[in-house]
Amino acid sequence: MASFRRLLPLCSSLNKTSFSSPRVREGLGANVRGYSGIAPSEETISKFEEGIRRAEADLVVNDDIDKIRREFDAAKRSFLKIPEALKAMPKTNPEGIYVNRSIRLDLIQVYGFDYDFTLAHYSANLQSLIYDLAKEHMVNEFRYPEVCMSFKYDPSFPIRGLYYDKQNGCLLKLDFFGSIEPDGCFYGRRQLGEKEIEEIYGTRHIGRDQARELVGLMDFFCFSEACLIADIVQYFVDAKLEFDACYIYQDVNRAIEHVHRSGLVHRGILSDPHRYLVKNGQLLHFLRLLKEKGKKLFLLTNSPYYFVDGGMQFMLEDSTGGRDSWRELFDVVIAKANKPEFYTSERPFRCYDTEKDTLAFTKVDKFLQNKIYYHGCLKSFLQITKWNGPEVIYFGDHLFSDLRGPSKAGWRTAAIIQELEAKFHILQE
């Protein structure tokens, strides 16, 4: 760059000197007179100067690039030293509580809880139970091929938060922006590559029209549903049988719903609670601590009362010694709430008779602590309790039934996400 700068004075002097001067020609003779024919014009000098300026500008850019490259290399060398520093940092608590907005717990006066996967947690055996009961129903009632009875639940296949495409038959994992993750598209049990995804969807991004064909598989109960859908799709593909992807979903979904609504799963769990339920010795301590601090507690679940009662007795038997009833911990107990419709419907509450297994006909205009209530809706719940939204926090595991729905009442929400514990362990390793 310095050499180019030294040329600039020369260009300037060339521009000022006239080689075609008559005096010069006369003094130097004929041979010199021919020199005027090659004297550079102003246009030539201007182009030469422009070339120099461009070259000089390119060198400035190159200097900037070299500077950025040096800074990047220095940052890279510094980054490679970070892992050693991280070893000295305190580990993240996998069982911690994390917030995405500020909250003052001293202003929270009411604590609400879902039951399944919130107060009650289950072992991996539960998914196999649901899977087996559902496939039996599809074979016996929907006349699916007998070979489906040989299917086995694969715990390594499904994850929470999948979508099923009823039109194309694919299981999808979408990112925050609604795009298919590169390794998150399966047709049956086969993972599709990026080219195959583009052939089906045109792009990885799911448009509004395509999104209408998607159904979410959001909670833990959907693990067995996603696996069964994939296994049946794979069977039809391998057998080279024509099928409608929408019908596969409808049949599997109906079978899963039957397993739950008929009580097959509930009776299976209660018949062997040690196999399916996971005890938590801190549960009773936590609930009692809230009561001692003067907080109100309520239970709002879609499960029937006999199932909740059996599960709570089993989980708390080591803590209570069979002396105290878990119902004394809660000011209101609502079962078979039919969430998420609970938040939008105007269905009335019914008082449930635990001894006769019947619903009373009297109008519910107040909640009694020693009573159990069925059905109901958010509107009536707020009218009866007078609990204001900001003073209520609700704990659950389902995105729509437990987290989005309560926000309509202004409730704070807390998500119980078991997968985060394993993710934190992986990150720390």
Side-chain angles (χ1 to χ4, degrees):
M1 182 180 296
S3 61
F4 278 101
R5 290 194 181 102
R6 287 195 293 269
L7 287 174
L8 291 179
L10 174 61
C11 295
S12 178
S13 62
L14 286 173
N15 198 25
K16 296 177 182 178
T17 304
S18 175
F19 289 92
S20 60
S21 172
R23 293 183 179 179
V24 173
R25 287 201 301 269
E26 292 175 357
L28 295 179
N31 291 335
V32 180
R33 282 200 295 269
Y35 188 76
S36 63
I38 61 171
S41 65
E42 292 185 1
E43 181 181 356
T44 302
I45 295 174
S46 177
K47 290 181 178 180
F48 184 62
E49 288 181 329
E50 179 64 24
I52 293 175
R53 284 195 293 269
R54 290 180 180 176
E56 191 172 30
D58 290 342
L59 287 174
V60 171
V61 172
N62 290 335
D63 280 355
D64 290 341
I65 293 176
D66 289 339
K67 180 180 178 182
I68 293 173
R69 184 177 288 110
R70 289 193 299 270
E71 292 177 350
F72 173 78
D73 291 339
K76 185 177 179 180
R77 288 192 298 271
S78 177
F79 175 77
L80 294 176
K81 300 177 181 178
I82 289 180
E84 293 297 328
L86 284 176
K87 295 179 181 179
M89 294 177 62
K91 298 294 184 180
T92 303
N93 181 12
E95 299 179 355
I97 299 173
Y98 304 91
V99 297
N100 58 4
R101 61 176 298 181
S102 60
I103 181 172
R104 286 184 55 182
L105 290 179
D106 60 330
L107 300 180
I108 300 297
Q109 301 301 321
V110 183
Y111 284 73
F113 299 92
D114 183 32
Y115 176 70
D116 295 298
F117 296 105
T118 301
L119 293 179
H121 290 273
Y122 301 92
S123 68
N125 297 321
L126 175 62
Q127 302 300 335
S128 296
L129 174 64
I130 298 174
Y131 182 94
D132 292 340
L133 292 173
K135 75 180 183 184
E136 290 175 9
H137 185 76
M138 295 186 68
V139 171
N140 297 332
E141 301 298 327
F142 300 158
R143 298 297 183 259
Y144 270 67
E146 191 72 24
V147 69
C148 294
M149 292 295 292
S150 64
F151 294 167
K152 299 294 183 182
Y153 175 72
D154 181 4
S156 66
F157 177 73
I159 60 174
R160 183 153 56 159
L162 295 176
Y163 288 89
Y164 178 70
D165 183 351
K166 295 185 295 182
Q167 181 175 353
N168 297 300
C170 297
L171 280 170
L172 309 174
K173 179 64 176 176
L174 304 182
D175 62 18
F176 181 79
F177 302 100
S179 297
I180 303 171
E181 295 188 358
D183 57 350
C185 183
F186 282 78
Y187 185 65
R189 297 298 295 271
R190 186 174 71 87
Q191 182 178 344
L192 301 184
E194 292 190 22
K195 290 185 178 179
E196 292 176 297
I197 295 174
E198 291 180 359
E199 289 176 359
I200 297 174
Y201 296 99
T203 175
R204 282 176 48 207
H205 182 72
I206 296 297
R208 185 171 299 178
D209 293 337
Q210 293 172 321
R212 296 191 181 98
E213 299 298 328
L214 303 184
V215 289
L217 307 175
M218 294 297 172
D219 61 14
F220 278 107
F221 288 124
C222 292
F223 282 24
S224 48
E225 183 176 3
C227 191
L228 187 55
I229 288 174
D231 287 341
I232 292 178
V233 169
Q234 190 63 53
Y235 165 76
F236 278 103
V237 171
D238 294 340
K240 296 180 172 57
L241 299 174
E242 294 186 2
F243 66 96
D244 190 314
C246 183
Y247 296 158
I248 299 295
Y249 168 74
Q250 291 176 353
D251 291 343
V252 172
N253 185 255
R254 285 167 55 199
I256 295 290
E257 287 185 355
H258 169 76
V259 166
H260 287 285
R261 293 179 177 178
S262 65
L264 288 173
V265 169
H266 300 145
R267 291 192 291 271
I269 293 173
L270 294 182
S271 67
D272 192 1
H274 290 277
R275 176 177 173 80
Y276 299 107
L277 281 166
V278 178
K279 290 186 177 182
N280 184 351
Q282 300 181 17
L283 177 60
L284 181 62
H285 171 72
F286 173 63
L287 296 177
R288 281 179 172 170
L289 179 64
L290 294 176
K291 294 294 291 184
E292 292 172 359
K293 298 298 181 181
K295 308 299 183 180
K296 300 290 185 180
L297 276 65
F298 71 91
L299 179 64
L300 178 64
T301 176
N302 286 349
S303 295
Y305 170 74
Y306 78 89
F307 176 65
V308 177
D309 182 53
M312 291 294 286
Q313 289 188 39
F314 170 76
M315 291 186 294
L316 300 181
E317 63 181 357
D318 297 335
S319 303
T320 62
R323 297 187 300 272
D324 302 323
S325 171
W326 64 270
R327 288 164 52 180
E328 297 176 355
L329 299 169
F330 295 91
D331 297 272
V332 182
V333 176
I334 302 170
K336 300 195 76 170
N338 196 33
K339 298 177 294 179
E341 285 78 8
F342 176 87
Y343 304 109
T344 57
S345 71
E346 295 191 4
R347 193 177 185 183
F349 284 101
R350 300 285 297 272
C351 189
Y352 174 72
D353 190 323
T354 58
E355 295 181 358
K356 298 180 180 179
D357 189 25
T358 58
L359 297 176
F361 296 98
T362 55
K363 182 179 180 180
V364 176
D365 53 11
K366 61 180 177 179
F367 292 131
L368 302 177
Q369 188 172 11
N370 61 341
K371 298 292 184 180
I372 305 299
Y373 300 94
Y374 268 28
H375 312 315
C377 64
L378 177 62
K379 180 179 179 181
S380 297
F381 182 84
L382 298 177
Q383 290 174 345
I384 295 174
T385 61
K386 308 298 188 210
W387 290 337
N388 296 320
E391 67 179 1
V392 182
I393 188 170
Y394 186 72
F395 291 78
D397 73 291
H398 195 282
L399 175 63
F400 301 112
S401 297
D402 303 321
L403 303 176
R404 189 175 70 174
S407 65
K408 297 180 183 297
W411 293 356
R412 297 299 188 96
T413 55
I416 307 297
I417 307 176
Q418 287 183 312
E419 300 98 316
L420 283 185
E421 183 174 350
K423 289 183 182 294
F424 278 126
H425 283 301
I426 294 173
L427 288 173
Q428 290 174 170
E429 293 171 359

